[in-house]
Every structure is written in structure tokens, then in C-alpha cells.
Amino acid sequence: MAFNDSIRGIYQKELGDIRSAGIFKEERIICSPQDSDIDVQFPAGAEQKRVINMCANNYLGLSSHPDVVEAARKGLDHRGYGMSSVRFICGTQDIHKELEGKLTAFLGTEDTILFPSCMDANAGVFEAVLNEQDVMISDRLVHASIVDGMRLCKAQQDTFKHSDMGHLEEKLQLHASARVKLIITDGSFSMDGDLAKLDQIVALAEQYNALVFVDDSHASGFIGRTGRGTHEHCGVLGKIDIITTTLGKALGGASGGCVSGRRELVEMCRQKARPYLFSNTIPPVVVSGANAVLDIISKTTERRDKLERNTAFWRKGLTEAGLIIKDGETPIVPVMLFNAKLSQDFAKELYQEGIYAVGFFFPVVAKGQARIRTQLSAAHDQHHLDKALAAFTKVGKKFEILHKTKQEIIERFGM
Ligand SMILES: *Cc1c(COP(=O)(O)O)cnc(C)c1O
């Protein structure tokens, strides 16, 4: 047996190091459907506790919506459980094509191709459309899946400082001779909840003859007046060459992702993108649920409007209570605590008060930038937000950080 004690020891030591660094991740166990109110075991095996969820990507509250569940059930009845095939062999049903068409219409693009996840979309897209003659110029804070996808592609790589348009312009000048220059950014950045300056990025792309790639996973369905995404918010609908996004957040939250954009680029993905060619198709039950989600959000902006109202209430409430939040307009609202241990202790106290939120610290965010990231949902009703706000205020008072400056908090708790 090769997995002997000395090899086991290597991994036990590595896991021990992760533990002693205080960054060992543990799962909390949810024993109910995803929603505003959930039953949680934490630690695993502990007695269940009903808490308000403030950290799901369930922005539109569609993850357990009865119409979506019903559509998924019908899909299961009429199209079966699994396809046992990748898309291009025998894994494409009418409902997959229907969903691609609905995504194209909703995102305002020319064509769409589904992937098993957005992680897979990002893993496949760059290699499929770029080669050694091209260059990828990415924002320094893009999502990990984009970093991985870029690694798999032979094009040159460069970066620009986060949302720094002057720096991006320098890089576009530097790489003027490349065959294709692709500017790469998240639409909505998941840790700070800030939006890319897509209007300025598109203007630079036009000036320097570059293409624009946007991962809108934290925006599709709710950012922009009709929820189409960051491109709608910034007034550049139809001008983004490649959009990737996930079905795993606002759009029902099950799984799946896509590349949507220029017809030829999407076709290149159908010919060459490896996760599309070599990984199983999205199951009919999920595709059917997603089709219902697209119907709901194409028909009415009710849910994104409620989310917008919830977000405004929450941002105003936390600020008036005396907590420091990252400014912005997205439903990602980081409550800044700066100190890593404080972020963990704060989250524990919140849990005692019946509020489920998670503290983030280095290396997930920069050193000295520890925080609790709260996320709003259209599934939150006023009573949820009132209770959560009361809990944040109570715990903030307990730690004596209300109406204190960043400097005062750091002086007392350290970085
Ligand atoms: C969540 C997320 C992904 C991954 O999406 P999956 O469909 O879960 O793989 C990719 N990019 C960004 C920006 C994300 O936030």
C-alpha cells in the first residue's frame, strides 16, 4: 500500500498548518431548502437552529421559488433525469436550445452556449477564441475561474490595476500590435460589490480596436434597469463581445453557466471549448428550472426592484447604525471590520442572534481588510431586514465599534 504512514504524515502536516494559520474551512450544514430562513447545524451535528440567511447568492429569491420547482419537476417528468452524454454527441435536447435562445434574448447578445458551470465557461472560452498572436489584458481582481482559464490559453497575458482606466489604456498601447486584444473584467466584483466601468472600457476598446470580455455572474438578473446586467447599467448593451455568467446565483441557483456574445466567438466555443466537448451536459431538470427563471425575469422586474429597495434600506440602515460599509449600489454589502479575529468573533455573535453571515479575511481579501460580506435577496422581507439590522447594531455595540473611524477600530483591535 503506497499511502503509507509517511505519506499520510505529509498531508496531515499540511492540513495542520492550514488549521494553525486559522484558515481551515468548515462547512455549515443546512437542513432546509435555500431561502431567507434556513435551518442550520453548526458545527456539523449540533442542534439545528433557524437563522436568517444573509450570505447566499440567491439575489432574486428564485432558488426555491414554487414556479421554478414546479417547472423543474415537469422537466424531470418529460425529459428524464440524466442525458449520459456531452452536448455534441447526444446531450442536446430541445430545452437546452430553448434556454440558449432565452439567454441570448435576455443578455442582448447574438448567440449563447451553455456550459456545466461558469467556472467551465471561463476554463474553455479563452483557449477556444485566442492563440499565440493575441493578448489578454485582465483587471487584477478578476475571479479565480478567469485566472485559471487564462492559464489554459496560449495568448500573452497582462493585467491592469483594479478599475484603473489610465493603466488599462497604457496596456492597450503597449500591446498595439497583437492580432486580437481582449480586455477581461468581472462586471460586478464579488468581494467589494463594486461595478466595472464598462462604459469607459468599451470606449477604450473602440479607440484601440480591442474586444471586451465581462463575467457578469454577480450581476445577471438584477443589475441594470431590467436586470440584464452590468452592460445595461453602464449603457453598453450589445457592445460586449463576450459575456460569461452563471445559473448558479441569481438565475435559480442550481448550476450551469454560459458564454454569450458574438456569433462567431460562440461558434468557436462549440467547436473547441474543452469543458463543452468533454464534460456532461446540464441535466434536463436544471435546464427546465432555468427556462422558468428566464420567463419570470423577462416578464417582470418586480423581484429585482424589491432587491433594489432591500439593498437601499440595508445600506442606509447599517450606515446610520454607525457601521462602516463599502460604498456602492450592488446587493453585495461588505461590513468592514479590518481585523481578522474580530470578523470571526462578530460572525459568531451574529449567529447567536439568529443571523447567518460569514467573516472574510486574508487571503480571501487583502490584509487589514477583514469584513463580513452581507448579501441581500428579494426573498428578504422587511421583518428579516429589521431583525438583521437590530442584530448587527447589538453586536456592533458589544464590540464598541459603532460610530468609530477605521483608524479607531484598527488602533483597538489591530490589523
Ligand atoms: C460564482 C462565479 C463563478 C463560478 O460560477 P459557477 O457556475 O458556480 O462555476 C465564475 N465567475 C464569477 C465572477 C463568479 O462570481
Side-chain angles (χ1 to χ4, degrees):
M1 191 182 68
F3 198 79
N4 55 30
D5 285 352
S6 98
I7 291 180
R8 193 181 292 277
I10 296 173
Y11 294 103
Q12 286 178 342
K13 173 165 186 324
E14 246 181 75
L15 290 165
D17 290 346
I18 296 172
R19 259 182 229 280
S20 48
I23 53 174
F24 195 86
K25 292 172 203 68
E26 261 172 290
E27 294 171 345
R28 295 140 170 90
I29 312 296
I30 299 175
C31 310
S32 57
Q34 184 63 280
D35 212 336
S36 297
D37 299 297
I38 48 173
D39 298 321
V40 179
Q41 282 185 346
F42 185 62
E47 204 179 320
Q48 281 180 35
K49 185 174 161 89
R50 193 146 187 91
V51 293
I52 296 174
N53 193 350
M54 294 301 293
C55 56
N57 299 318
N58 182 19
Y59 296 110
L60 294 173
L62 292 171
S63 301
S64 304
H65 189 282
D67 293 354
V68 178
V69 173
E70 179 56 25
R73 193 173 282 128
K74 281 207 181 114
L76 194 54
D77 289 342
H78 296 133
R79 292 292 182 277
Y81 173 67
M83 285 301 291
S84 303
S85 172
V86 300
R87 282 291 298 276
F88 86 99
I89 298 180
C90 56
T92 301
Q93 291 171 317
D94 50 352
I95 54 174
H96 291 81
K97 298 314 286 181
E98 183 186 339
L99 179 55
E100 289 178 340
K102 284 179 183 174
L103 284 163
T104 301
F106 185 75
L107 297 171
T109 54
E110 296 175 1
D111 198 3
T112 299
I113 172 177
L114 293 170
F115 281 82
S117 69
C118 187
M119 177 109 191
D120 284 321
N122 289 338
V125 63
F126 302 111
E127 192 194 16
V129 304
L130 301 176
N131 68 27
E132 301 85 341
Q133 301 160 269
D134 307 324
V135 64
M136 305 178 279
I137 307 174
S138 62
D139 186 287
R140 286 191 185 161
L141 289 191
V142 291
H143 191 261
S145 58
I146 294 178
V147 175
D148 286 2
M150 288 170 65
R151 278 191 196 142
L152 294 171
C153 173
K154 293 193 176 70
Q156 258 194 86
Q157 295 189 24
D158 207 341
T159 61
F160 61 98
K161 290 180 203 152
H162 178 53
S163 278
D164 184 332
M165 295 300 108
H167 199 216
L168 171 58
E169 184 164 15
E170 278 175 37
K171 292 300 172 87
L172 287 166
Q173 290 164 347
L174 180 67
H175 296 288
S177 62
R179 183 190 70 152
V180 175
K181 297 178 279 294
L182 180 62
I183 304 169
I184 300 170
T185 184
D186 289 15
S188 164
F189 289 87
S190 60
M191 279 302 146
D192 285 355
D194 58 324
L195 297 172
K197 299 167 184 161
L198 286 190
D199 46 346
Q200 297 179 48
I201 289 176
V202 165
L204 283 170
E206 284 171 355
Q207 187 182 344
Y208 290 94
N209 202 18
L211 304 185
V212 180
F213 168 105
V214 176
D215 180 339
D216 233 6
S217 290
H218 278 284
S220 297
F222 56 96
I223 297 291
R225 201 180 52 76
T226 61
R228 285 161 212 282
T230 315
H231 56 327
E232 180 181 32
H233 176 88
C234 295
V236 289
L237 268 174
K239 295 192 173 171
I240 307 300
D241 304 294
I242 305 172
I243 296 171
T244 62
T245 193
T246 182
L247 302 172
K249 293 187 170 105
L251 305 182
S255 70
C258 71
V259 171
S260 192
R262 304 294 177 197
R263 196 170 295 110
E264 295 77 8
L265 301 179
V266 171
E267 195 54 50
M268 287 298 283
C269 289
R270 279 203 190 87
Q271 302 308 312
K272 291 178 69 181
R274 295 167 71 85
Y276 173 83
L277 295 175
F278 298 115
S279 188
N280 200 27
T281 189
I282 308 179
V285 57
V286 171
V287 173
S288 302
N291 269 318
V293 166
L294 267 294
D295 288 345
I296 292 170
I297 62 176
S298 302
K299 212 163 19 197
T300 161
T301 60
E302 217 172 277
R303 303 187 82 80
R304 61 88 49 212
D305 295 345
K306 183 177 177 196
L307 175 63
E308 193 167 70
R309 289 193 301 276
N310 283 350
T311 300
F313 172 85
W314 185 244
R315 285 182 174 276
K316 184 162 177 280
L318 288 175
T319 305
E320 285 176 0
L323 288 155
I324 301 175
I325 63 169
K326 284 258 180 204
D327 275 342
E329 45 206 324
T330 68
I332 298 172
V333 185
V335 180
M336 300 307 295
L337 298 167
F338 310 106
N339 175 274
K341 180 159 188 307
L342 177 60
S343 73
Q344 300 307 293
D345 294 344
F346 204 103
K348 254 181 229 147
E349 291 287 332
L350 284 174
Y351 191 75
Q352 291 309 314
E353 300 295 324
I355 306 301
Y356 184 4
V358 178
F360 290 104
F361 53 95
F362 183 79
V364 178
V365 294
K367 282 209 167 104
Q369 290 285 308
R371 66 193 62 188
I372 288 181
R373 181 179 68 173
T374 60
Q375 291 168 283
L376 283 300
S377 170
H380 288 134
D381 289 323
Q382 191 59 43
H383 68 92
H384 295 115
L385 299 182
D386 289 340
K387 186 173 174 202
L389 189 55
F392 269 85
T393 307
K394 181 174 170 187
V395 176
K397 194 174 278 172
K398 178 168 177 173
F399 287 106
E400 296 178 40
I401 60 164
L402 298 184
H403 302 288
K404 295 280 194 286
T405 64
K406 170 180 177 180
Q407 210 45 48
E408 287 168 328
I409 295 174
I410 290 173
E411 266 164 32
R412 214 149 68 74
F413 293 91
M415 289 283 269

Coordinates of all heavy atoms in Angstrom, one line a residue, residues 133-135 156 172-181:
Q133 N -0.9 34.8 -31.1 CA -0.7 36.1 -31.7 C -1.5 37.1 -30.9 O -1.5 38.3 -31.2 CB -1.2 36.1 -33.1 CG -0.5 35.1 -34.0 CD -1.4 34.8 -35.3 OE1 -2.2 33.9 -35.3 NE2 -1.2 35.7 -36.3
D134 N -2.3 36.7 -29.9 CA -3.2 37.5 -29.2 C -2.8 37.9 -27.8 O -1.8 37.3 -27.3 CB -4.6 36.8 -29.1 CG -5.1 36.4 -30.5 OD1 -4.8 37.1 -31.5 OD2 -5.7 35.3 -30.6
V135 N -3.5 38.8 -27.2 CA -3.1 39.2 -25.8 C -4.4 39.3 -24.9 O -5.4 39.8 -25.4 CB -2.3 40.5 -25.7 CG1 -3.1 41.7 -26.3 CG2 -1.8 40.8 -24.3
Q156 N -0.7 35.8 -25.0 CA 0.1 36.6 -24.0 C -0.9 37.1 -22.9 O -2.0 37.3 -23.1 CB 0.6 37.8 -24.7 CG 2.1 37.8 -25.0 CD 2.5 39.2 -25.4 OE1 2.9 39.9 -24.5 NE2 2.5 39.5 -26.6
L172 N -3.1 48.9 -23.4 CA -3.6 48.7 -24.8 C -2.6 49.3 -25.8 O -2.4 48.8 -26.9 CB -5.0 49.4 -24.9 CG -6.1 48.7 -24.2 CD1 -7.4 49.6 -24.1 CD2 -6.5 47.4 -25.0
Q173 N -2.0 50.4 -25.4 CA -0.9 51.0 -26.3 C 0.3 50.0 -26.4 O 0.8 49.8 -27.4 CB -0.5 52.3 -25.7 CG -1.6 53.4 -25.9 CD -1.3 54.7 -25.0 OE1 -0.5 54.7 -24.1 NE2 -2.1 55.7 -25.3
L174 N 0.6 49.5 -25.2 CA 1.8 48.6 -25.2 C 1.6 47.4 -26.1 O 2.6 46.9 -26.7 CB 2.0 48.1 -23.7 CG 3.2 47.1 -23.4 CD1 4.5 47.8 -23.7 CD2 3.1 46.6 -22.0
H175 N 0.4 46.9 -26.2 CA 0.1 45.6 -26.9 C -0.6 46.0 -28.3 O -1.3 45.1 -28.8 CB -0.8 44.7 -26.1 CG -0.1 44.2 -24.9 ND1 0.9 43.3 -24.9 CD2 -0.3 44.6 -23.6 CE1 1.3 43.1 -23.6 NE2 0.6 43.9 -22.8
A176 N -0.3 47.1 -28.8 CA -1.0 47.6 -30.0 C -0.9 46.6 -31.2 O -1.8 46.5 -32.0 CB -0.4 49.0 -30.5
S177 N 0.3 45.9 -31.3 CA 0.5 45.0 -32.5 C -0.1 43.6 -32.4 O 0.0 42.9 -33.3 CB 2.0 44.9 -32.7 OG 2.6 44.2 -31.6
A178 N -0.7 43.3 -31.3 CA -1.3 41.9 -31.2 C -2.5 41.8 -32.2 O -3.1 42.8 -32.5 CB -1.9 41.7 -29.7
R179 N -2.7 40.5 -32.6 CA -3.8 40.3 -33.6 C -5.1 40.6 -32.9 O -5.9 41.4 -33.4 CB -3.8 38.8 -34.0 CG -4.8 38.4 -35.0 CD -4.9 36.9 -35.2 NE -5.6 36.2 -34.0 CZ -6.3 35.1 -34.1 NH1 -6.4 34.5 -35.3 NH2 -6.8 34.6 -33.0
V180 N -5.4 40.0 -31.8 CA -6.6 40.3 -31.0 C -6.2 40.8 -29.6 O -5.4 40.1 -29.0 CB -7.6 39.1 -30.9 CG1 -8.8 39.5 -30.0 CG2 -8.0 38.7 -32.3
K181 N -6.7 41.9 -29.2 CA -6.5 42.3 -27.8 C -7.9 42.1 -27.0 O -8.9 42.7 -27.5 CB -6.1 43.8 -27.7 CG -4.8 44.1 -28.4 CD -4.5 45.6 -28.4 CE -5.2 46.4 -29.5 NZ -4.8 46.1 -30.8

